[in-house]
Amino acid sequence: MSGFLFFVLVALTAMMLVYLYRVVRGPTAFDRVLGLNGISTKAIILIVVIGAAFGRVDMFVDISTGYAILNLVGALAIAKFLEERGEEEE
């Protein structure tokens, strides 16, 4: 693994930790959902970078695309649930 890819992996992991702080601290449920979406977005990029490190970008792009679709559906389901519940604050 090249030094650049290792740097990118570490940087993405650090960014995910910042989003994790938002997920844990909130303060609202919507902030937590946005934090989870941020983590998922960085995870998608992380999967593609790992694919580049192993020289199998084509396979890892397919995996990240499936993960992105699951992330989208999950975020929409949570947003719909929160909308129907009618609460913005916990």
Side-chain angles (χ1 to χ4, degrees):
M1 179 183 307
S2 71
F4 176 73
L5 289 178
F6 183 74
F7 173 75
V8 171
L9 290 175
V10 170
L12 286 171
T13 304
M15 284 189 259
M16 290 170 78
L17 291 175
V18 173
Y19 280 109
L20 185 63
Y21 175 78
R22 177 55 51 200
V23 171
V24 171
R25 297 294 294 185
T28 67
F30 292 109
D31 291 332
R32 292 187 169 111
V33 171
L34 287 176
L36 284 174
N37 280 335
I39 289 173
S40 297
T41 303
K42 302 306 174 272
I44 291 166
I45 298 169
L46 194 69
I47 290 170
V48 174
V49 171
I50 290 172
F54 287 111
R56 299 288 314 262
V57 176
D58 53 343
M59 182 178 78
F60 282 85
V61 165
D62 292 341
I63 294 169
S64 66
T65 303
Y67 185 71
I69 291 170
L70 285 175
N71 178 36
L72 175 67
V73 171
L76 289 175
I78 291 172
K80 184 72 175 172
F81 173 75
L82 292 174
E83 181 184 31
E84 288 181 4
R85 197 169 88 180
E87 293 182 24
E88 292 184 11
E89 300 285 331
E90 286 191 348

